[in-house]
Amino acid sequence: MQFSLLILLLAGSASAFDAPEDTHSYLKYQGETNCPADHRLMSVGFARNNLQEVCNLLSDWEFARLSGYASLGGPGNNCVVYESDHRHLNSSLCVALTEHSLIRGALIQGGFRSPDELTRMTQSDWRVALIDELANRTRDDAHQWDELDNQALAGLGLLVSYLRNGERVSDTELSQYTATDIRQSVIGELQAQTGIDLLSLQSMSNIDLYHIIMSG
């Protein structure tokens, strides 16, 4: 029953848990740290996983901004990725936000927003709201939460809801937790409750872990 309720809240089928990110939904945008609506700065991991395609968006000697003050150089710079580059750059690499239904589900499950409130917000606002809630309740700041894609962010939001709603962790304790601590705490509980071996649990996404929680 609980799992069926979650599916209704997410307004999608079970396949939403496994929907891959569209690796072609990215673009170069003029201006530093600027992205159009429903896009965010591309992460270093995404850039490296799609290096040749992303690099080809740039002119030979161009550098473009990635998230976390990183940058990517064009073909003339051998598509080099600098993880820390505080120079002023003239363009940014942006990737489309996906899995908004999961963000919505995390906000509702956590009691952070009501369904009525969410209908008056844009999908981009949903993401900002969840980042703010998690940053205000945990040790990680908003910048660190914003580094996550929608699926990872929503998954951790759902795990926080599980810990808080079951009073497994107090709000005071949660305020000292990082995203890694949240995940490891849930994995420890699931290993004890289900007998699933630790390596298998550690290999699962946050959404997969929550799926196990809700399916009993």
Side-chain angles (χ1 to χ4, degrees):
M1 179 67 70
Q2 284 182 309
F3 185 64
S4 298
L5 176 60
L6 176 65
I7 295 299
L8 290 174
L9 290 173
L10 296 181
S13 67
S15 62
F17 286 104
D18 304 309
E21 185 173 9
D22 181 357
T23 57
H24 298 289
S25 298
Y26 49 78
L27 50 83
K28 183 178 76 171
Y29 204 67
Q30 291 303 309
E32 184 164 29
T33 68
N34 287 335
C35 287
D38 293 325
H39 284 68
R40 62 183 292 275
L41 283 173
M42 185 181 295
S43 68
V44 169
F46 186 99
R48 284 179 170 152
N49 288 339
N50 302 275
L51 189 60
Q52 196 58 57
E53 294 89 346
V54 174
C55 183
N56 286 339
L57 295 175
L58 307 179
S59 59
D60 276 348
W61 307 110
E62 183 179 13
F63 275 86
R65 178 64 63 208
L66 300 173
S67 65
Y69 293 103
S71 68
L72 174 68
N77 292 296
N78 297 316
C79 304
V80 64
V81 174
Y82 290 130
E83 294 192 5
S84 181
D85 183 353
H86 290 269
R87 296 175 296 170
H88 175 74
L89 303 177
N90 293 321
S91 58
S92 300
L93 289 167
C94 305
V95 63
L97 297 174
T98 58
E99 303 297 347
H100 285 102
S101 62
L102 294 173
I103 296 282
R104 181 178 186 274
L107 287 166
I108 294 173
Q109 287 292 97
F112 304 137
R113 297 292 187 279
S114 70
D116 286 344
E117 288 175 314
L118 292 174
T119 62
R120 296 190 292 271
M121 299 166 62
T122 66
Q123 291 183 336
S124 295
D125 290 338
W126 296 353
R127 177 181 169 85
V128 171
L130 185 55
I131 287 171
D132 286 346
E133 291 290 345
L134 294 175
N136 289 334
R137 296 172 188 276
T138 68
R139 188 173 177 179
D140 288 341
D141 60 26
H143 176 76
Q144 291 168 298
W145 287 109
D146 193 37
E147 287 285 301
L148 303 176
D149 63 32
N150 278 2
Q151 190 172 51
L153 178 67
L156 280 162
L158 290 167
L159 297 187
V160 166
S161 300
Y162 166 70
L163 292 174
R164 292 183 69 241
N165 293 347
E167 298 183 350
R168 293 168 177 83
V169 173
S170 69
D171 284 343
T172 299
E173 291 171 322
L174 184 62
S175 69
Q176 299 303 309
Y177 276 31
T178 64
T180 300
D181 296 330
I182 292 163
R183 177 177 167 83
Q184 292 306 316
S185 179
V186 171
I187 285 175
E189 285 213 12
L190 286 179
Q191 200 279 328
Q193 293 171 8
T194 66
I196 299 173
D197 69 272
L198 197 58
L199 287 178
S200 294
L201 290 170
Q202 289 174 337
S203 70
M204 295 179 185
S205 70
N206 298 322
I207 293 295
D208 288 336
L209 293 174
Y210 194 74
H211 190 165
I212 292 174
I213 292 168
M214 297 304 290
S215 61

